[in-house]
């Protein structure tokens, strides 16, 4: 029975598609809508409810599509607008919602708006971007050094938070808003279910243009981040990152703008949603008037998902959410196209498979909307590139060059450091089969990024599809368990055994159902005493250790790395 109090985006499991790497339908080595369309049955078999597409718009690809040159069209290499609408229609027919990526902060430097703006100081779009006669301070772009780039036509500098090919729009200009809201309506009119809002924190800059105080260049800071090992070193570089960009992030004006955007969405049927690429819960406004969701990034910002880390994270997030409104809703994720692969990030090199299953169980049983990233369901791992010519992430190629030229690093060391930091390592093509090019594209075609050779060792969809014990089938089972267990979707979260280092135990509870979740992160069997629990009987819903197993309370025994979900009474 569906609880109608809850919106679809509160109940849904989301799956992020990175269009370039998901499925190549026309065999040119680049993913496309034809490929996505062909894989809809697969997505349905996985059991997810909603898709988030990373940018599908025309782009010169300086930032893998996050540099948009036309907001109301489809990148030709991905297909036509007609193919897009067919894809969305077919997704909707299967009950899958589709949200798009919306990049508000900047356009491509090839966007007609920018070409016009940079052409002179008195054209109609002269102040659609952020122009200065001289660089006003020492601000950095987080991707490529100084944040101000000179344009001879105007004899002026424009500001860019990201690559110089991504000039920042001037959001203080009402015409910019009008133009962008028009693009938003274009996709909503076509039936898009909402948007993932890119980098919202970067939309406004400190009006006083205050310089930052970090005694390092961007390249030095990236190198220091790569080399930081101890907690103190990491804390220091994190503080530097915060300080370097403090005046370029989270500035006044953001919330008024998000309210305006929300009002545009609410002109529709009340079912369209916004999820912000930010962890700041302030973007939820009063719970009704800004974004519906922001990501719980602090959950994934760790090397090991430990029970203590998860518990502390939940305690803090859920308390902060409840201060906003009783309807404010959590949103958990462990991976995306900017991060290392979940399997690599949270593995320990020894129990990676078990830990990947625990990572998923964490996401699907905690309170909130889970977001999965394509490929994690088959345990795709980080791909370490070995030649700089393979890199597509310009943040990393810029860093490599700066490390050699500015920091004087040996090219081999610069390559190693860039290969660690590049986001390409989590963006390689999806591995569909144990076949040449992992079945992503024909054998004689070069895929846009190298394919991880571990497709031949079982890390591919088709092998895992046939193996009932594979990670893929585990994803399917656990997603199905969540779908069939109302309290896992809408129930309250109540932590148990706050001191345990080895396991996480909590209750999820609705008026009709109480679910006990026990996640054993430890390699040994554990005997857990639940005598403080008022519930006396437990019936098994799911165990990763055995399809059938005896359950008794209050003394419960869990197998190594067991994921246990039970209904208690
Ligand atoms: C967001 C995107 C990232 C992109 C950046 C600039 O952080 O997730 O991939 O490079 O914004 O648009």
């Amino acid at each position: 029975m569906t609880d109608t109090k809850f919106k679809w985006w509160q109940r849904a499991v989301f799956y992020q598609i990175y269009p370039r790497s998901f499925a190549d339908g026309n065999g040119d080595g680049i993913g496309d809508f034809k490929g996505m369309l062909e894989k809809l049955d697969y997505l349905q078999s996985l059991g997810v409810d909603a898709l988030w597409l990373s940018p599908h718009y025309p782009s010169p690809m300086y930032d893998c599509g996050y540099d948009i040159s036309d907001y109301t069209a489809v990148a030709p290499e991905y297909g036509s607008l007609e193919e897009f609408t067919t894809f969305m229609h077919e997704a909707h027919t299967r009950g899958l919602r589709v949200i798009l990526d919306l990049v508000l902060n900047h356009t491509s430097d090839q966007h007609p708006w920018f070409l016009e703006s940079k052409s002179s100081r008195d054209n109609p779009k002269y102040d659609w971007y952020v122009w200065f006669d001289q660089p006003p301070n020492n601000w950095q772009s987080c991707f490529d050094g100084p944040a101000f780039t000179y344009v001879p036509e105007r004899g002026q500098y424009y500001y860019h938070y990201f690559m110089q090919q991504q000039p920042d729009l001037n959001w203080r200009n009402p015409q910019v808003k009008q133009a962008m809201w028009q693009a938003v309506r274009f996709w909503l009119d076509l039936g898009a279910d909402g948007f993932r809002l890119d980098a919202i924190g970067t939309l406004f800059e400190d009006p006083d243009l205050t310089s930052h105080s970090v005694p390092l260049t961007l390249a030095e800071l990236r190198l220091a981040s790569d080399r930081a090992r101890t907690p103190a070193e990491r804390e220091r570089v994190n503080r530097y990152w915060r300080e370097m960009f403090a005046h370029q992030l989270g500035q006044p004006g953001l919330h008024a703008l998000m309210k305006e955007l929300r009002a545009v969405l609410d002109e529709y049927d009340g079912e369209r949603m916004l999820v912000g690429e930010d962890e700041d819960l302030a973007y939820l406004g009063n719970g009704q008037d800004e974004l519906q969701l922001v990501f719980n990034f602090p959950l994934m910002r760790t090397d090991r998902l430990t029970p203590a880390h998860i518990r502390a994270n939940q305690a803090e997030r859920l308390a902060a959410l409840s201060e906003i409104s009783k309807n404010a809703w959590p949103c958990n994720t462990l991976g995306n196209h900017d991060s290392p692969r979940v399997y690599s990030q949270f593995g320990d090199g020894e129990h990676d498979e078990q830990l990947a299953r625990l990572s998923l169980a964490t996401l699907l049983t905690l309170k909130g909307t889970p977001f999965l990233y394509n490929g994690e369901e088959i345990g795709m791992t980080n791909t370490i590139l070995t030649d700089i010519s393979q890199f597509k992430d310009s943040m990393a190629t810029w860093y490599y060059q700066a490390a050699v030229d500015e920091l004087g690093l040996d090219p081999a060391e610069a390559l190693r450091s860039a290969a660690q930091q590049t986001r390409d390592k989590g963006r390689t093509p999806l591995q569909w089969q144990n076949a040449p090019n992992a079945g992503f594209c024909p054998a004689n075609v070069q895929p846009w990024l190298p394919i991880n050779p571990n497709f031949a060792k079982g890390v591919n969809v088709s092998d895992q599809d046939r193996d009932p014990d594979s990670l893929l089938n585990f994803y399917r089972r656990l997603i199905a368990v969540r779908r069939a267990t109302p309290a896992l979707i809408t129930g309250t979260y109540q932590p148990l055994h706050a001191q345990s280092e080895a396991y996480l135990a909590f209750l999820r509870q609705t008026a009709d159902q109480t679910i006990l979740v026990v996640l054993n992160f430890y390699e040994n069997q554990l005997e857990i005493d639940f005598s403080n629990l008022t519930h006396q009987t437990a019936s098994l819903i799911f165990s990763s250790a055995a399809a059938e197993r005896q359950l008794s309370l209050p003394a419960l025994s869990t197998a190594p790395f067991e994921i246990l979900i039970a209904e208690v009474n």
Side-chain angles (χ1 to χ4, degrees), residues 70-341:
D70 184 347
Y71 279 80
T72 53
V74 172
E77 69 268 35
Y78 296 161
S80 61
L81 189 59
E82 199 185 331
E83 285 176 284
F84 167 85
T85 45
T86 305
F87 166 77
M88 196 160 59
H89 174 77
E90 288 297 321
H92 284 163
T93 306
R94 288 166 168 79
L96 291 166
R97 305 269 184 165
V98 180
I99 70 166
L100 306 175
D101 217 308
L102 184 62
V103 183
L104 298 173
N105 178 64
H106 48 270
T107 67
S108 156
D109 67 346
Q110 300 306 309
H111 194 294
W113 298 343
F114 187 70
L115 295 177
E116 187 173 346
S117 189
K118 79 167 199 178
S119 67
S120 69
R121 290 193 192 197
D122 58 1
N123 67 75
K125 297 195 174 50
Y126 78 98
D127 65 347
W128 279 42
Y129 294 82
V130 184
W131 293 98
F132 297 95
D133 290 339
Q134 293 296 329
N137 52 38
N138 65 357
W139 288 357
Q140 298 290 294
S141 131
C142 76
F143 282 177
D144 66 356
F148 303 95
T149 292
Y150 184 69
V151 167
E153 293 92 320
R154 287 180 60 136
Q156 284 183 315
Y157 294 78
Y158 64 88
Y159 169 72
H160 50 97
Y161 182 85
F162 296 99
M163 302 294 298
Q164 57 171 278
Q165 290 84 0
Q166 297 169 289
D168 271 49
L169 283 160
N170 173 14
W171 278 94
R172 298 203 160 84
N173 181 338
Q175 291 175 334
V176 167
K177 271 194 282 198
Q178 289 320 314
M180 200 61 97
W181 297 168
Q182 225 173 314
V184 165
R185 289 193 178 93
F186 175 88
W187 297 105
L188 293 174
D189 288 341
L190 285 175
D193 295 292
F195 298 95
R196 173 263 190 190
L197 300 179
D198 186 69
I200 38 180
T202 61
L203 290 171
F204 292 98
E205 295 73 48
D206 169 11
D208 295 334
L209 301 168
T210 317
S211 279
H212 76 75
S213 53
V214 176
L216 299 178
T217 65
L218 183 73
E220 286 168 341
L221 182 50
R222 279 208 184 280
L223 182 61
S225 307
D226 184 33
R227 291 188 172 166
R229 291 287 174 273
T230 65
E233 286 166 353
R234 286 187 184 191
E235 179 40 41
R236 181 170 147 271
V237 295
N238 288 341
R239 181 163 47 80
Y240 277 164
W241 278 108
R242 285 196 299 275
E243 283 174 16
M244 187 174 272
F245 295 103
H247 304 286
Q248 300 161 257
L249 288 171
Q251 295 295 315
L254 285 166
H255 295 291
L257 189 70
M258 291 303 114
K259 288 190 173 70
E260 275 190 53
L261 177 55
R262 173 64 179 267
V264 174
L265 266 87
D266 287 350
E267 288 166 16
Y268 290 77
D269 43 22
E271 296 292 313
R272 316 296 174 106
M273 59 85 69
L274 297 168
V275 52
E277 190 209 2
D278 206 293
E279 65 206 50
D280 186 355
L281 294 170
Y283 287 107
L284 302 182
N286 66 11
Q288 306 282 349
D289 60 350
E290 291 191 39
L291 316 184
Q292 280 90 343
L293 299 172
V294 294
F295 291 109
N296 177 6
F297 288 137
L299 178 66
M300 67 192 261
R301 214 174 290 132
T302 173
D303 287 339
R304 275 308 283 281
L305 271 184
T306 61
H309 170 77
I310 300 167
R311 244 185 335 255
N313 170 271
Q314 291 301 295
E316 193 185 325
R317 293 296 282 188
L318 295 177
L321 275 162
S322 69
E323 306 248 306
I324 293 174
S325 126
K326 69 178 192 340
N327 299 321
W329 195 251
C331 174
N332 299 309
T333 188
L334 294 175
N336 58 45
H337 66 292
D338 293 326
S339 343
R341 285 277 177 190

